[in-house]
């Protein structure tokens, strides 16, 4: 027998296989997209890192504008006889060695703390007619320096004993008196006081000497000013800008209630104080304490940077395998701020450099992890910050790599330290982005606020209009109810009595007057009920009444109606007032005209929503008064007044022997006819 079970299950298995393949394809496409983002991010990071490296290599020339030193008459002293000694003058009898500049104590004076004397022998420069003064320029003497020329003290940069003045980043310009200068074999002695590499937390603060030149004062002043500009002025300017940006970020955080802006503001202001050269040179505390104070700032700076990146990523929680790590990371970051200085105090001042290197590597790894998480979150959300942080990753990686290479002695970077400029610029770029995001959000909020105000205003107007309409409707309902009550009272009381008089009176005149009063009462009741009617029905009522009354008076009547049936609504008020005008006109024809023929024409102008009634007789006409007016008597004033109340008009044309023409033009009120 054939296996129907396997054949029936085949379509289901194929369907499951197709869905599995689609799921695999979707996952592969997602992985490919992430792989592309990672590749692009790495390319941007590498390009940025290469740019920072190139700037670092090129920065050596920023403080050396005299590319043609020989033509400028500047002598570069690159070799000296170095002797250790505490003496007030050069210890000629001491044991020394010949060193080449730049001289790093970590290589030539390992572990030594104290003064080192450097003796240079030079011949007096050829006199420059443009500048008689000769000067000495020292690019770097860490930490403090004294200058002696031919045995005479000329210059002292600062305190030469513990605590020593910290002037590693400063250059020194010292004029050399010509009276002390000899033609040949001048002795230039430099006494440098510094600290060994093991007792500082950064290589640039370890003892050493670099960049000694002798030449004309104007040329060396230009060199000195360039060095001061790039090492101090630019750093202070960037630090000032960062302080402003940090203060702005804190103010923005206060207004917007955004915690990550607090972290960024504090981080920016902290870096401004660290790199802005705002710290004084002389500290009244030992060197080890100063080094620990300077180094321990990096722990909270790292914590602020990590918290900023995690907060700016946008996730309120950092959940990994069901565990929220955001709070734990915060506690760990602030715990290391306490552990860092404690560990430095415990290891002692002889291994400060090694201990700080271990901590700084840990800080760098934490920062890279935070940047990686931010890139993941930004890439997942398709945010523009993904590309900005990719560039930032390259810049930070290059800066950290160059800094670690310099601190470990793999790279020489004397002169301008370009990494001090890259980080402030990076902070500035992130701050500009944050300001841009805030400005866009503010613009969006302002637009939403304006739309909300406009909508609120529209709703307020609509509410007021509805309230007015409701109030008017309520008043109309009350008035309508009262009119109906009055109409019912008239109909039930006065109408019944008039009808009794009509049927029981033996006097014809009384009976006729009662009948007229009854008709007038019915017309008033109809006006009080407020029910509109169709214009064609109104014309039919008027025609019936006019033809009947004129016929009883023996007057022939010709009625001309519109050809079409007019379905325009006519309010009860208009109907009642028009009926009274027509009755008054017919009464005048019967009583005063002496006419034998009357023509009544009705016309409708739907474009202007009006209708016209023309009543024309062939009677004797209306005699003119002394003032030439026709509206004296005959109810003319009442007819015109009623037409005016309806926003219409009633015109009378007459003359003795020419008959009378009454032209009425009345509006059609746009109301819906309600059939009883």
């Amino acid at each position: 027998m054939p296996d129907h079970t396997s054949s029936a299950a085949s379509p289901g298995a194929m369907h499951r296989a197709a869905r599995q393949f689609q799921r695999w394809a979707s996952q592969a496409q997602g992985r490919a997209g992430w792989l592309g983002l990672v590749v692009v991010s790495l390319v941007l990071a590498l390009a940025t890192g290469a740019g920072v490296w190139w700037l670092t290599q090129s920065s050596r020339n920023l403080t050396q504008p005299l590319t043609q030193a020989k033509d400028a008459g500047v002598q570069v002293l690159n070799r000296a006889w170095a002797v250790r000694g505490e003496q007030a003058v050069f210890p000629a009898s001491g044991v020394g060695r010949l060193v080449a500049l730049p001289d790093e104590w970590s290589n030539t004076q390992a572990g030594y703390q104290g003064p080192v004397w450097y003796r240079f022998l030079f011949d007096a420069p050829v006199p420059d007619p443009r500048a008689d003064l000769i000067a000495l320029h020292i690019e770097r003497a860490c930490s403090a320096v004294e200058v002696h020329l031919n045995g005479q003290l000329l210059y002292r940069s600062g305190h030469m004993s513990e605590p020593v003045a910290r002037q590693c980043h400063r250059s020194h310009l010292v004029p050399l008196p010509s009276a002390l200068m000899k033609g040949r074999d001048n002795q230039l002695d430099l006494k440098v006081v510094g600290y060994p590499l093991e007792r500082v937390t950064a290589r640039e603060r370890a003892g050493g000497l670099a960049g000694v030149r002798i030449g004309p004062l104007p040329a060396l002043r230009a060199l000195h000013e360039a060095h001061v500009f790039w090492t101090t002025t630019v750093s202070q300017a960037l630090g000032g800008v960062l302080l402003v940006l940090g203060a702005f970020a804190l103010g923005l955080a206060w207004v917007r209630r955004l915690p990550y802006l607090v972290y960024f503001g504090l981080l920016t202001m902290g870096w401004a104080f660290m790199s802005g050269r705002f710290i004084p040179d002389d500290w009244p505390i030992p060197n080890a304490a100063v080094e620990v104070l300077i180094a321990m700032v990096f722990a909270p700076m790292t914590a602020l940077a990590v918290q900023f990146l995690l907060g700016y990523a946008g996730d309120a929680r950092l959940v990994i395998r069901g565990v929220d790590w955001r709070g734990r990371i915060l506690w760990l970051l602030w715990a290391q701020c306490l552990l860092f200085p404690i560990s430095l105090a415990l290891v002692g001042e002889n291994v400060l450099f090694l201990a700080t290197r271990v901590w700084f590597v840990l800080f760098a790894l934490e920062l890279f992890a935070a940047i990686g998480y931010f890139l993941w979150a930004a890439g997942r959300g398709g945010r523009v910050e993904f590309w900005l942080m990719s560039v930032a990753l390259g810049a930070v990686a290059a800066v950290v790599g160059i800094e670690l290479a310099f601190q470990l002695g793999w790279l020489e970077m004397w002169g301008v330290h370009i990494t001090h400029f890259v980080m402030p610029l990076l902070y500035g770029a992130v701050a500009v982005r944050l300001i841009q995001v805030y400005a866009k959000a503010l613009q969006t909020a302002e637009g939403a606020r304006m739309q909300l105000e406009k909508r609120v205003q529209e709703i307020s107007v609509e509410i007021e209009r509805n309230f007015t309409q409701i109030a008017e409707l309520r008043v109309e309902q009350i008035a309508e109810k009262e009119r109906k009550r009055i109409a019912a009272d008239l109909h039930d009381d006065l109408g019944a009595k008039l009808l009794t008089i009509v049927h029981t009176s033996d006097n014809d005149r009384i009976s006729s007057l009662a009948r007229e009063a009854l008709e007038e009462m019915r017309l008033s009741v109809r006006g009080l009920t407020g029910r509109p009617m169709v214009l064609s029905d109104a014309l039919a009522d008027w025609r019936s009444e006019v033809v009947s009354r004129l016929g009883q008076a023996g007057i022939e009547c010709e009625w001309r109606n519109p050809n079409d049936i007019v379905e325009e609504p006519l309010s009860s008020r208009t109907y009642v007032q028009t009926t009274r005008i027509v009755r008054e006109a017919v009464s005048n024809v019967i009583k005063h005209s002496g006419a034998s023929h009357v023509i009544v024409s009705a016309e409708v102008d739907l474009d202007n929503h009006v209708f016209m009634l023309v009543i024309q007789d062939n009677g004797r006409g209306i005699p003119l008064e002394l003032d030439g007016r026709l509206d004296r008597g005959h109810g003319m004033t009442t007819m015109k007044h009623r037409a005016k109340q309806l926003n219409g008009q009633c015109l009378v044309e007459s003359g003795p022997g020419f008959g009378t023409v009454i032209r009425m033009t009345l509006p059609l009120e746009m109301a819906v006819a309600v059939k009883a």
Side-chain angles (χ1 to χ4, degrees):
M1 293 180 64
D3 189 358
H4 297 288
T5 303
S6 61
S7 62
S10 297
M14 293 177 63
H15 182 64
R16 288 193 298 272
R19 286 188 299 177
Q20 184 68 24
F21 177 77
Q22 291 178 354
R23 185 160 52 250
W24 287 343
S26 177
Q27 293 175 356
Q29 185 178 4
R31 294 192 189 98
W34 272 107
L35 181 60
L37 288 177
V38 170
V39 171
V40 173
S41 176
L42 289 177
V43 170
L44 286 175
L46 291 175
T48 306
V52 173
W53 171 257
W54 177 82
L55 288 174
T56 302
Q57 295 298 103
S58 302
S59 66
R60 297 182 179 182
N61 298 325
L62 292 177
T63 57
Q64 301 179 16
L66 301 179
T67 57
Q68 299 178 350
K70 293 183 179 180
D71 295 341
V74 176
Q75 299 182 34
V76 180
L77 306 182
N78 51 22
R79 289 185 179 275
W81 186 258
V83 180
R84 299 177 183 178
E86 297 281 352
Q87 294 83 347
V89 296
F90 183 82
S93 60
V95 179
R97 57 184 296 186
L98 186 65
V99 296
L101 300 187
D103 178 33
E104 298 184 49
W105 287 13
S106 59
N107 298 327
T108 61
Q109 311 288 342
Y112 173 73
Q113 178 175 344
V116 175
W117 285 86
Y118 295 87
R119 169 161 287 184
F120 301 89
L121 298 178
F122 68 96
D123 297 333
V126 178
D128 187 351
R130 296 170 298 177
D132 295 332
L133 292 179
I134 302 300
L136 166 69
H137 180 263
I138 305 173
E139 182 178 341
R140 177 180 180 269
C142 190
S143 288
V145 63
E146 280 184 359
V147 178
H148 299 254
L149 178 61
N150 294 325
Q152 296 293 325
L153 175 63
L154 297 181
Y155 173 78
R156 179 182 291 124
S157 64
H159 202 264
M160 299 293 290
S161 59
E162 188 71 25
V164 179
R166 311 174 65 84
Q167 297 180 337
C168 296
H169 65 281
R170 295 184 180 273
S171 63
H172 307 273
L173 181 63
V174 183
L176 301 179
S178 57
L180 298 177
M181 193 79 64
K182 297 187 297 186
R184 297 180 60 85
D185 297 331
N186 290 281
Q187 294 179 352
L188 176 66
D189 299 329
L190 303 181
K191 182 181 180 181
V192 179
V193 180
Y195 298 96
L197 179 64
E198 295 79 9
R199 297 189 178 186
V200 295
T201 57
R203 181 175 292 271
E204 59 267 22
R205 292 193 294 274
L209 179 66
V212 179
R213 297 176 177 85
I214 292 178
L217 179 60
L220 294 181
R221 181 184 288 115
L223 182 62
H224 175 71
E225 291 175 352
H227 189 278
V228 171
F229 175 77
W230 288 107
T231 59
T232 303
T233 306
V234 173
S235 297
Q236 291 178 347
L238 292 176
V241 173
L242 290 183
L243 286 176
V244 174
L245 291 177
F248 179 80
L250 291 178
L252 194 60
W254 175 265
V255 174
R256 301 289 295 175
R257 297 295 188 270
L258 296 175
Y260 69 85
L261 286 180
V262 176
Y263 299 133
F264 180 78
L266 295 176
L267 176 64
T268 305
M269 298 181 72
W271 190 269
F273 281 111
M274 290 175 58
S275 62
R277 308 296 186 192
F278 300 126
I279 301 176
D281 295 334
D282 295 323
W283 289 60
I285 55 178
N287 172 73
V290 176
E291 291 293 333
V292 171
L293 288 176
I294 295 175
M296 65 183 295
V297 178
F298 283 92
M301 293 283 287
T302 304
L304 292 173
V306 172
Q307 285 298 108
F308 163 68
L309 291 172
L310 294 181
Y312 194 39
D315 294 333
R317 301 193 305 166
L318 180 59
V319 180
I320 301 177
R321 294 183 179 180
V323 179
D324 185 10
W325 284 86
R326 179 65 62 86
R328 299 184 181 184
I329 291 176
L330 179 61
W331 282 107
L332 290 175
L333 289 173
W334 295 120
Q336 79 177 4
C337 295
L338 182 63
L339 292 176
F340 181 40
I342 293 176
S343 64
L344 295 182
L346 292 177
V347 299
E349 61 177 345
N350 291 326
V351 288
L352 280 179
F353 184 79
L354 178 61
T356 53
R357 294 289 70 75
V358 174
W359 275 102
F360 286 175
V361 170
L362 177 61
F363 295 158
L365 293 177
E366 294 174 358
L367 187 59
F368 284 134
I371 292 178
Y373 173 76
F374 179 86
L375 290 178
W376 174 78
R380 182 184 59 178
R383 297 169 58 179
V384 180
E385 287 80 359
F386 176 83
W387 309 109
L388 175 63
M389 294 308 295
S390 297
V391 176
L393 173 63
V396 172
V399 169
V400 172
I402 293 171
E403 184 68 22
L404 288 177
F406 171 70
Q407 297 298 334
L408 296 175
W410 300 342
L411 179 65
E412 293 183 359
M413 287 196 313
W414 303 112
V416 177
H417 205 170
I418 196 66
T419 56
H420 291 168
F421 302 151
V422 173
M423 291 304 294
L425 294 177
L426 186 60
Y427 282 119
V430 176
V432 169
R433 175 57 187 169
L434 291 176
I435 294 173
Q436 182 182 6
V437 171
Y438 171 72
K440 185 176 180 180
L442 185 63
Q443 184 178 7
T444 303
E446 184 67 18
R449 185 187 65 81
M450 294 179 63
Q451 291 181 356
L452 181 61
E453 289 182 354
K454 182 178 179 182
R455 182 58 181 162
V456 169
Q457 185 177 5
E458 292 176 353
I459 293 176
S460 300
V461 173
E462 185 177 356
I463 291 175
E464 292 178 0
R465 183 171 60 251
N466 292 338
F467 179 79
T468 303
Q469 291 177 353
I470 292 173
E472 293 177 352
L473 180 61
R474 180 62 178 169
V475 171
E476 183 64 26
Q477 289 176 347
I478 295 174
E480 178 69 17
K481 184 178 180 180
E482 188 65 17
R483 284 196 298 267
K484 288 182 178 180
R485 185 189 66 78
I486 295 173
D489 292 344
L490 289 175
H491 183 273
D492 296 339
D493 187 8
L494 182 59
K497 293 179 180 179
L498 290 175
L499 187 61
T500 301
I501 294 174
V502 169
H503 291 290
T504 60
S505 177
D506 296 332
N507 191 322
D508 293 339
R509 176 148 183 87
I510 295 176
S511 178
S512 177
L513 290 174
R515 186 177 294 106
E516 291 179 3
L518 183 61
E519 291 296 329
E520 187 64 25
M521 185 209 66
R522 288 175 177 173
L523 183 62
S524 298
V525 169
R526 184 164 190 173
L528 289 173
T529 57
R531 295 179 180 178
M533 64 186 307
V534 178
L535 180 59
S536 298
D537 297 339
L539 291 175
D541 290 347
W542 295 332
R543 178 180 179 180
S544 175
E545 180 178 347
V546 170
V547 172
S548 175
R549 290 185 63 192
L550 291 177
Q552 293 176 2
I555 301 174
E556 182 181 358
C557 179
E558 180 180 354
W559 188 280
R560 299 175 182 176
N561 262 346
N563 296 328
D564 299 330
I565 298 176
V566 182
E567 299 294 336
E568 288 290 322
L570 192 68
S571 68
S572 60
R573 178 169 175 268
T574 302
Y575 173 76
V576 171
Q577 296 292 356
T578 305
T579 301
R580 287 173 174 165
I581 293 173
V582 171
R583 285 181 179 177
E584 182 66 27
V586 172
S587 297
N588 288 337
V589 172
I590 294 173
K591 295 178 181 179
H592 306 293
S593 68
S596 60
H597 185 78
V598 176
I599 300 175
V600 181
S601 301
E603 297 181 5
V604 179
D605 186 356
L606 295 179
D607 295 334
N608 298 318
H609 296 286
V610 296
F611 71 95
M612 288 79 69
L613 279 177
V614 180
I615 302 175
Q616 181 178 1
D617 64 61
N618 60 351
R620 65 175 65 94
I622 302 175
L624 294 175
E625 296 295 332
L626 295 177
D627 56 0
R629 299 179 60 180
L630 296 174
D631 55 356
R632 301 289 187 180
H634 306 291
M636 295 298 177
T637 302
T638 303
M639 293 167 60
K640 292 182 178 182
H641 180 68
R642 292 183 187 277
K644 187 175 181 180
Q645 286 181 338
L646 298 176
N647 294 324
Q649 62 179 356
C650 178
L651 301 178
V652 179
E653 301 174 2
S654 181
F658 296 99
T660 303
V661 178
I662 299 175
R663 302 181 186 275
M664 291 181 292
T665 302
L666 301 172
L668 290 171
E669 296 188 18
M670 302 301 296
V672 179
V674 180
K675 296 183 179 180

